[in-house]
Amino acid sequence: MSETPSLKVPKALGEKAIRLARRLTIFNLNLKVQQVEDYLCIPLVRKPHPQEFRKFEKSLPEFEISAFEFEHAKRPVILVEVLKDKIPPHLLVSVPHAIDFVGDIAVVNIPPELADHKKDLGEAILNTHKRVDTVLAKSSAVEGVYRLRKFEVIAGVEKTGTIHREHGCVYHVDLARTYFSPRLSHEHDRVASQTKADETIVDMFTGVGPFSILIAKRHENAKVYAIDVNPDALEFLERNVAVNHVEKRVVPILGGARQVVKKRLVGVADRVIMNLPEKAIEYVDVGCATLKSRGGIMHYYEFTKAPDPIETAKIRLAEAVNRTSRSLKKILLAKVVRATAPFTWQVVVDAKIQ
Ligand SMILES: C[S@@+](CC[C@H](N)C(=O)[O-])C[C@H]1O[C@@H](n2cnc3c(N)ncnc32)[C@H](O)[C@@H]1O
């Protein structure tokens, strides 16, 4: 945050004012245009000179030059630069802040006001990121049992499959057929770092295997049971197990976690990973059942909208464990992993279960 000269105008004059500030080359692209009630505060690189001020007076029926604490624009300035001659200036503030990179695929969320310019945005991403071959726009939320999203190719090669590298492992993924998010990279590493040399781990909702394979790669005496109900996820998991040479340590299992654990994995695990945030609460009994009788560690994920997401997740997990024959001995860590929507968070709770 910084105190910066600001051109304040009624919202209706926003587009005109930004155009003018740009033409005078005093529009500050590094800061975010901010809305204050019915007004827009437009960041300037400096106070306008008297002749520039007169131009504002001539074109804008209502305006004010003052100082404002702007937030920094997180969007890559270079992308905005490439787009500045292609899309109207007032829309440049909507250029997405976040681009996810999965292998040579870039994934963006296109705000509705940029829908008519998605091809330009896609081409601009291709041109500014040399390793990107394909740009995908998210065209649905993550949905269904398999946690899949729909995508539209907006630039580059028509494909949704790629090879992604993370923490020294290689993952074949197809974003239209299997869940994968590079935003969980830190979690994959964090959980793998806590795992001890000869543990048995049950990864109840494994996807293409980013927890299981990383753990197995780091610990040659580990045994990981990696379960997923999506046959496509299993296909990719098996391929990833092979390309990362962890066949002896990872056991891929196709099926619903509840049925699989009940049939063959009761009381086997030192550690259980429950990364199905929208439903994990319904599987806490299964997570408890797969841990050894002396207990073990549970990594429990959930989405919450509650005002205090961390406390809410801790309480919900404790209540769910109390409904089983196990007890929650200690919360080792509880934290927000990421914001997934306005006022919705993914939270992780690491707990010692006895
Ligand atoms: C959020 S993804 C997690 C993927 C993976 N852990 C990761 O970090 O990329 C959840 C996965 O759980 C799978 N799934 C959903 N319900 C399941 C169930 N009852 N049993 C096993 N897997 C399930 C989905 O197919 C999906 O691949």
Side-chain angles (χ1 to χ4, degrees), residues 70-71 75 84-85 106-107 109 111 169 174 183 224 265 275-276 283-284 299 305:
F70 289 95
E71 285 172 26
R75 77 192 61 84
K84 74 180 177 201
D85 299 324
V107 183
N109 202 9
C169 300
D174 186 326
R183 295 186 189 191
V224 192
L265 296 177
N275 181 220
L276 179 63
Y283 289 85
V284 170
H299 301 280
K305 285 184 189 296

Side-chain angles (χ1 to χ4, degrees), residues 145-146 179 188 204-207 210-211 228-230 255-257 275 283:
V145 174
Y146 299 164
Y179 178 91
H188 300 148
M204 283 171 56
F205 311 106
T206 193
F211 282 108
D228 205 287
V229 76
N230 175 0
N275 181 220
Y283 289 85

Side-chain angles (χ1 to χ4, degrees), residues 11-167:
K11 260 168 53 184
L13 292 176
E15 182 179 349
K16 198 169 181 190
I18 293 171
R19 259 185 219 281
L20 186 52
R22 285 187 65 92
R23 215 164 41 234
L24 298 171
T25 64
I26 58 172
F27 178 47
N28 191 335
L29 274 172
N30 294 321
L31 300 174
K32 261 192 196 171
V33 173
Q34 237 119 13
Q35 186 173 334
V36 181
E37 291 168 358
D38 290 334
Y39 289 84
L40 287 187
C41 291
I42 298 161
L44 303 178
V45 289
R46 57 172 166 74
K47 273 190 172 168
H49 298 317
Q51 71 273 32
E52 291 167 338
F53 193 88
R54 279 194 290 280
K55 287 189 175 149
F56 284 135
E57 280 182 322
K58 226 167 133 187
S59 306
L60 303 171
E62 185 186 343
F63 77 98
E64 181 189 305
I65 302 291
S66 49
F68 191 80
E69 278 210 348
F70 289 95
E71 285 172 26
H72 281 275
K74 290 194 199 107
R75 77 192 61 84
V77 171
I78 186 156
L79 192 56
V80 174
E81 282 298 323
V82 170
L83 283 166
K84 74 180 177 201
D85 299 324
K86 303 233 163 73
I87 65 177
H90 68 289
L91 291 180
L92 287 174
V93 296
S94 301
V95 169
H97 301 181
I99 305 176
D100 285 342
F101 296 97
V102 182
D104 57 5
I105 295 180
V107 183
V108 277
N109 202 9
I110 309 271
E113 64 273 24
L114 282 184
D116 291 343
H117 302 279
K118 62 187 173 195
K119 301 276 175 205
D120 287 330
L121 179 61
E123 289 300 329
I125 293 172
L126 273 189
N127 292 336
T128 51
H129 297 83
K130 294 294 167 225
R131 282 183 307 189
V132 171
D133 249 12
T134 295
V135 183
L136 299 181
K138 297 176 184 173
S139 55
S140 79
V142 174
E143 289 164 340
V145 174
Y146 299 164
R147 310 311 299 150
L148 299 179
R149 194 193 273 294
K150 293 193 178 68
F151 295 97
E152 180 190 349
V153 177
I154 54 168
V157 181
E158 276 282 334
K159 65 173 187 188
T160 48
T162 186
I163 300 173
H164 182 74
R165 287 179 169 75
E166 188 180 275
H167 308 304

Side-chain angles (χ1 to χ4, degrees), residues 142 144-148 166 177-181 184 187-188 203-211 227-231 233 253-260 273-279 283 303 338 346:
V142 174
V145 174
Y146 299 164
R147 310 311 299 150
L148 299 179
E166 188 180 275
R177 293 169 60 200
T178 58
Y179 178 91
F180 185 81
S181 171
L184 293 176
E187 274 308 292
H188 300 148
D203 183 4
M204 283 171 56
F205 311 106
T206 193
V208 300
F211 282 108
I227 309 169
D228 205 287
V229 76
N230 175 0
I253 307 175
L254 175 63
R258 181 172 295 280
Q259 293 74 19
V260 171
I273 304 167
M274 301 183 60
N275 181 220
L276 179 63
E278 46 293 303
K279 285 248 168 77
Y283 289 85
F303 289 141
R338 56 181 174 149
Q346 178 173 0

Side-chain angles (χ1 to χ4, degrees), residues 194-251:
Q194 289 176 26
T195 308
K196 312 259 168 11
D198 47 9
E199 283 187 3
T200 298
I201 297 99
V202 172
D203 183 4
M204 283 171 56
F205 311 106
T206 193
V208 300
F211 282 108
S212 296
I213 289 172
L214 183 58
I215 291 171
K217 194 99 175 160
R218 287 192 180 162
H219 299 292
E220 56 183 53
N221 292 326
K223 182 92 177 171
V224 192
Y225 295 97
I227 309 169
D228 205 287
V229 76
N230 175 0
D232 288 343
L234 246 281
E235 185 189 316
F236 282 95
L237 170 67
E238 282 168 353
R239 200 188 308 177
N240 294 333
V241 166
V243 296
N244 290 287
H245 310 294
V246 289
E247 296 93 329
K248 294 211 174 92
R249 287 161 248 159
V250 178
V251 183

